[in-house]
Amino acid sequence: MIETTGDDRRFPPALAAVAQVEFDYDDGEGVDFEPYDAFDSAEETTDWIRNWTGNHELDGDGYRVFGQDGTGGLAALWRVRPGRPLADQPVVFLG
């Protein structure tokens, strides 16, 4: 299990800045990304990962979902580096 802190659900400054950007889809010629202004809740993330994988023993604690594309694929921080802040975690796309 990954250790959590009180800052685990607070956007790092770079993500807060991205949340303010409007991405222009430009009829398929632009960027298909919808940033969130807050991470999905732990409950939402757990529900999603269980449905996506079919494994109802998983929890979503390892991910902080911060956006999606038009197909429903999710962009997330993957909390795989113990003891490191969210800004030092890899970004993954799950779609």
Side-chain angles (χ1 to χ4, degrees):
M1 177 164 208
I2 297 171
E3 182 178 329
T4 60
T5 69
D7 291 335
D8 278 344
R9 297 254 169 225
R10 189 176 331 161
F11 261 23
L15 277 184
V18 168
Q20 302 304 311
V21 174
E22 184 174 328
F23 290 85
D24 185 5
Y25 183 61
D26 193 25
D27 294 321
E29 298 297 320
V31 177
D32 182 13
F33 183 66
E34 302 169 31
Y36 300 166
D37 59 5
F39 289 122
D40 277 352
S41 71
E43 295 79 16
E44 288 173 310
T45 305
T46 294
D47 185 54
W48 173 82
I49 197 96
R50 287 177 177 175
N51 286 312
W52 191 59
T53 63
N55 182 344
H56 294 280
E57 294 181 19
L58 291 176
D59 67 35
D61 193 48
Y63 301 95
R64 295 294 180 267
V65 177
F66 64 86
Q68 68 180 30
D69 73 355
T71 69
L74 300 178
L77 296 176
W78 181 21
R79 299 177 57 246
V80 69
R81 297 177 178 154
R84 305 278 296 272
L86 288 176
D88 290 347
Q89 304 296 333
V91 173
V92 296
F93 181 78
L94 306 159

